[in-house]
Amino acid sequence: MFCAHCGKKIPDGTKFCPSCGADVSAGSQVQNAANQAFRSVEGNLNSAVNDVKNTFQNGNQPYGGERLTDDRSLVVLILLSIITCNIYYYYYIYKLAHDVNIACSGDGEETGGLVQYLLLSFVTCGIYALYWEYKLGNRLAANAPRYGLTIQENGTTILMWRLFGFVLCFVGTWYGVYLLLKNANQICNAYNRYNNL
């Protein structure tokens, strides 16, 4: 085992590093990992708040010239949605639609934003939310060749995981969300590289 602070090799089961004196016990390692995860979540939450604040202050600016989010994480989405009583999930919908509309602009389609998502999902008892994800999955797969990518999972794949994933104790429904995040990250990353952002 190696010390996380100085990098020196230390015997297994050691509580303090003989070289630098740092606490290297298992409890300390778990605490450090938890602190790092919480700092990451806190950073993502602050970023979300600042993004929404800037949107209200600056109004609707034309698309383009901004770096798109390409590191979305399912774990962060779940944690922040729980912490914020699902408010972060709606920010995720807003930001995902915003970024995809920029990365896929010119394809003749427009991914509906948060207001459309909320209103139509409410009116259709959640059916529109599934349709939104289906359309988004198809749009990402269709735009992949534009950036030299191949995305195997289209809207049908995502819809099937979302609808029938409950058979796997609802893990499959989250796998559908994961596929959407993964594909959006690929497209946004390719957009950022293509535009040197």
Side-chain angles (χ1 to χ4, degrees):
M1 147 168 141
F2 294 91
C3 175
H5 297 280
C6 69
K8 301 275 185 180
K9 185 173 173 102
I10 54 176
D12 290 342
T14 304
K15 291 189 178 196
F16 297 97
C17 175
S19 298
C20 68
D23 185 2
V24 292
S25 64
S28 172
Q29 291 175 356
V30 169
Q31 182 180 5
N32 289 339
N35 286 339
Q36 185 177 4
F38 283 119
R39 280 193 296 274
S40 172
V41 166
E42 183 180 31
N44 281 326
L45 188 57
N46 286 336
S47 173
V49 169
N50 289 334
D51 190 34
V52 170
K53 186 171 75 174
N54 289 338
T55 299
F56 283 112
Q57 287 176 348
N58 300 331
N60 290 329
Q61 298 293 328
Y63 289 152
E66 64 183 274
R67 180 171 174 74
L68 304 182
T69 304
D70 59 3
D71 60 351
R72 293 174 181 87
S73 164
L74 181 62
V75 173
V76 170
L77 174 63
I78 293 170
L79 283 176
L80 287 178
S81 295
I82 291 169
I83 291 170
T84 63
C85 298
N86 223 29
I87 292 171
Y88 184 80
Y89 186 80
Y90 296 120
Y91 168 75
Y92 147 79
I93 295 294
Y94 158 77
K95 188 67 174 159
L96 185 61
H98 174 266
D99 288 356
V100 169
N101 281 330
I102 292 173
C104 300
S105 65
D107 67 349
E109 292 187 38
E110 183 80 15
T111 300
L114 180 60
V115 174
Q116 181 179 347
Y117 179 90
L118 288 174
L119 290 176
L120 292 177
S121 295
F122 178 74
V123 169
T124 62
C125 299
I127 294 172
Y128 178 77
L130 295 172
Y131 176 73
W132 186 87
E133 291 177 355
Y134 167 78
K135 290 287 286 179
L136 184 60
N138 281 339
R139 188 174 187 198
L140 292 170
N143 278 277
R146 173 182 183 176
Y147 293 107
L149 301 171
T150 303
I151 292 179
Q152 299 295 324
E153 307 87 13
N154 61 11
T156 304
T157 307
I158 290 164
L159 186 61
M160 290 300 110
W161 276 107
R162 293 290 278 154
L163 288 174
F164 300 111
F166 68 89
V167 175
L168 302 170
C169 299
F170 292 98
V171 171
T173 60
W174 286 111
Y175 184 69
V177 174
Y178 163 76
L179 291 175
L180 210 53
L181 291 173
K182 177 183 73 90
N183 295 342
N185 284 342
Q186 287 180 1
I187 293 284
C188 291
N189 181 271
Y191 172 89
N192 290 337
R193 281 186 288 113
Y194 181 78
N195 291 289
N196 296 318
L197 297 172

